[in-house]
Amino acid sequence: MSSYAPLADELSDSLPFASRTTVGGSTPSATFFSCVANLANTILGSGLLGLPGAFAGAGSLTGTLLLIIAAFGSANGLRLLSLCASKVGYDEPTSFYSVANRAHPSSTTVIDFAVAIKCFGVATSYLIIVADVMVDVMKYFNGDGSMWSERWIWVVVGTSAVTSLSFFKTLDALKFTSAIAIVFVVTLTVVIVIYSTGAINPCDPMVFEEFGDTCKGPTDLTKPFKDTLQKLSTFVFAYTCHQNIFSVCNEISNRTQSAVDRVIATSITVGLVLYLVVAWAGYETFGDNVQSDILKNYPKNALVTTMRIFVALLVIFSYPLQLDPSRRCVTTLVNKIRKGKRDDELIKTDVEGIDEEEINNIEKESLNGVNGSHSDYDSPGEGGRSRIDDLIYMVITVTFLTCSFLLAMVTNDLGIMLAFVGATGSTAVSYILPGGIYLRIFYNEGWTWGRIAAVVQVGAGAIIMPVALYYAMGGGE
């Protein structure tokens, strides 16, 4: 991830990141560790357990190449967005809205909506995972007849657990839960590797009966091209964390491009290494008999049950990392509506006797409201500004949680949800938007490495989205 010429001066450690001491009135204080923990935790979500199954569809060699290519594609998209954030500047907190508004103002509503829906879909998948794994946990302890083996109970419990983590206003506040989640991922990886060595027998007698004469199927380096395309969205989905790069840029204390680059490189590398280990070890253990959720292949014993509990905690800790960017996007949409109403009122107001400076101040405050900062006209009287903004924050958060809960209650097919989210939202957020926004913001850059990387990013997304969506809808069967 080397610097893109000829932006060396612009992307030096002194400009433009370090030239800003505050973001939206607050001093950035997130550490390198905090940023890496949150970004890596956003990456290492539900996709981890599906990668051995993706290898079964693509082959171990092809799967490895796709994981590496997807890692580079994700890192490139993250860096393009961080460069756009630095170009826009940090007088106000950067977001998909702020960079999209600079790139193409008329597209901001669509982009905010797309990011919000994508994050909502991923967050809902986390509640589905909590319910699925905890039902298996309760069946291990109490059998099928227990009340605690009912799926709806664990949707309620999962929603209650994520609610307690969903009202923090910065990702830096979640650094400890993100660090714990990464420990869970590493522990899960170690267990999968131990089973792959044969030190512990991976064959459950009941699973053994399902597969016939062996619990391990054949393994291949490559698979038919059609089978590989059917798993394409899984590899794309694995690295989607781009909605949170703006929080990294806003909150990191050492706000330089090189510091953000190190966060990106470290987070993607952590994800790639853990993904490769889990995918290889899981696929070598069960071959083509590996299921879409690899934990379903393992014996129903205390060790695997503990791993299921870890997975539930992992996605609970990851849930607010999806809620936060979605909430920011919805807040922007709400503020745009509020701004439109204020503009209409301003037009209708008799401005005679109001000097030009006061009118400019009103318009400036209205613009700040759209970009997510506070403004004094939200409610009359001292403290009115905080009350209105906090009310909007609370309503959006509660609405997100409620809708996510209701959808998780009626949906139990995780594979279909992840396939559609990966094919549409993840591809748009990881490939099309970063490249497209960069090309618009740096329109006068010339044919540098930055523009070439952006063109490749958009081109890859334009190919991946229709192909992955076709197979997610059952095409090719």
Side-chain angles (χ1 to χ4, degrees), residues 24 37 53 70 97 106 108 111 122 194 202 211 226 231 238 257 271 277 298 308 311 346 353 384 423 428 439 458:
Y97 172 85
S106 62
T108 54
I111 291 174
V122 176
I194 291 174
F211 293 133
K226 183 188 75 172
K231 299 296 183 180
Q257 186 62 49
V277 172
Y298 290 109
R308 289 193 171 98
V311 169
L346 185 63
L439 289 173
V458 173

Side-chain angles (χ1 to χ4, degrees), residues 226-362:
K226 183 188 75 172
D227 294 343
T228 300
L229 290 179
Q230 289 177 335
K231 299 296 183 180
L232 185 59
S233 61
T234 302
F235 294 100
V236 174
F237 179 82
Y239 294 99
T240 304
C241 59
H242 297 65
Q243 65 276 3
N244 284 333
I245 188 60
F246 299 107
S247 293
V248 171
C249 293
N250 290 333
E251 297 175 18
I252 190 168
S253 57
N254 178 21
R255 197 185 303 129
T256 63
Q257 186 62 49
S258 60
V260 174
D261 286 347
R262 288 194 296 272
V263 170
I264 294 171
T266 304
S267 302
I268 293 293
T269 300
V270 169
L272 175 60
V273 170
L274 291 174
Y275 281 160
L276 285 173
V277 172
V278 169
W280 268 92
Y283 184 51
E284 287 301 313
T285 302
F286 300 106
D288 287 347
N289 287 341
V290 67
Q291 299 191 46
S292 58
D293 177 356
I294 190 175
L295 287 182
K296 294 182 178 180
N297 283 89
Y298 290 109
K300 296 177 175 60
N301 56 28
L303 178 60
V304 176
T305 298
T306 302
M307 292 304 100
R308 289 193 171 98
I309 295 173
F310 281 4
V311 169
L313 292 173
L314 166 65
V315 295
I316 285 173
F317 291 160
S318 299
Y319 187 99
L321 298 177
Q322 299 295 333
L323 186 152
D324 183 73
S326 182
R327 178 172 51 207
R328 291 174 187 269
C329 290
V330 175
T331 300
T332 298
L333 295 174
V334 171
N335 282 337
K336 287 176 71 175
I337 295 173
R338 295 166 63 203
K339 175 185 179 296
K341 291 181 178 179
R342 294 190 193 103
D343 287 347
D344 291 341
E345 292 173 359
L346 185 63
I347 293 174
K348 297 175 182 178
T349 300
D350 181 8
V351 296
E352 184 178 353
I354 302 178
D355 60 28
E356 184 176 351
E357 181 179 356
E358 187 171 349
I359 295 175
N360 290 336
N361 287 338
I362 294 174

Side-chain angles (χ1 to χ4, degrees), residues 35 38 106 180 197 203 213 230 262 277 292 321 402 429 463 466:
C35 292
N38 285 322
S106 62
I180 294 171
T197 64
C203 294
D213 49 354
Q230 289 177 335
R262 288 194 296 272
V277 172
S292 58
L321 298 177
T402 302
V429 170
I463 295 172

Side-chain angles (χ1 to χ4, degrees), residues 457-473:
Q457 199 79 2
V458 173
I463 295 172
I464 291 171
M465 180 177 286
V467 171
L469 186 59
Y470 172 75
Y471 283 102
M473 296 175 64

